[in-house]
Amino acid sequence: MTSKILLVTGDAAESLEVFYPYQRLREEGYQVDIAAPARKRLQFVVHDFVDGFDTYTEKPGYTWPADIAFADVDPADYVALVVPGGRAPEYLRNDPHVQRIVRHFFEGDKPVAQICHGPLVSAAAGVLSGRRSAAYPALEPDVIAAGAQYVDGEAVVDGVVVSARAWPDHPAWIRAFVEVLRVKAPLS
């Protein structure tokens, strides 16, 4: 049986932050299931940095089907969790099923990778307190308000939780996450 990783996301997630870990972890040999509010085709977005803009811009990105709805997820079936960024975490954090799923991984000391706006989800689930976490720099006040220490880094490892600022951090972020997986959730 293949070791399974759960990726929680929804519409308006950042395309690169979904597909990079999805493909990279599959390349490692893990099965990656995409969970969303409903089992449907999701619309991702592209966040880019443009000279003269105070923040990122957003354009339509790829579409991709979700494998499973949050309500149907049994987190015990998975060895690790990935929480991409984009705008999706802004509304996903309010979903009680997402909070249940995220708490399972944090409380069970299972590997978690979160990037960009992803820490909004763990903050809302009440599991970020006392941790060190990177996030998109504009979220520093949110990370601190959740009781965590904000770290401006490309791959912040706090136990089994690996966080990063945004998609330019992918190589360091996923490299560090794979190192955690090899120890805590090696392929079966």
Side-chain angles (χ1 to χ4, degrees):
M1 181 173 146
T2 302
S3 296
K4 297 194 313 182
I5 294 176
L6 186 67
L7 190 152
V8 296
T9 195
D11 289 325
E14 213 296 323
S15 294
L16 286 173
E17 293 175 1
V18 172
F19 286 117
Y20 188 85
Y22 177 78
Q23 292 174 329
R24 184 64 190 85
L25 295 168
R26 289 185 66 212
E27 180 183 34
E28 283 292 317
Y30 293 91
Q31 177 183 323
V32 181
D33 290 346
I34 295 177
R39 193 165 180 243
K40 66 168 195 153
R41 191 160 200 83
L42 300 169
Q43 175 65 62
F44 301 136
V45 298
V46 172
H47 287 154
D48 202 0
F49 302 96
V50 177
D51 289 340
F53 276 67
D54 293 329
T55 189
Y56 54 83
T57 61
E58 182 173 285
K59 300 163 186 68
Y62 295 104
T63 64
W64 197 260
D67 298 303
I68 188 169
F70 295 143
D72 298 327
V73 170
D74 180 353
D77 292 342
Y78 298 90
V79 298
L81 175 69
V82 177
V83 186
R87 280 188 298 114
E90 294 173 2
Y91 67 91
L92 296 179
R93 64 183 166 172
N94 299 316
D95 186 307
H97 292 293
V98 171
Q99 293 177 11
R100 168 186 61 85
I101 291 164
V102 170
R103 278 194 293 271
H104 169 87
F105 286 92
F106 276 82
E107 292 168 0
D109 201 36
K110 291 179 163 183
V112 175
Q114 55 186 8
I115 189 166
C116 195
H117 286 68
L120 290 175
V121 177
S122 53
V127 294
L128 202 54
S129 182
R131 295 198 167 268
R132 298 169 60 250
S133 183
Y136 187 69
L139 270 61
E140 180 178 1
D142 302 275
V143 170
I144 292 168
Q149 176 189 354
Y150 175 79
V151 180
D152 185 5
E154 65 182 359
V156 176
V157 180
D158 181 15
V160 295
V161 180
V162 182
S163 57
R165 297 167 296 202
W167 58 261
D169 295 339
H170 277 163
W173 176 57
I174 292 297
R175 184 181 317 110
F177 187 56
V178 167
E179 288 172 10
V180 169
L181 288 173
R182 287 180 178 153
V183 172
K184 277 298 268 189
L187 287 165
S188 57

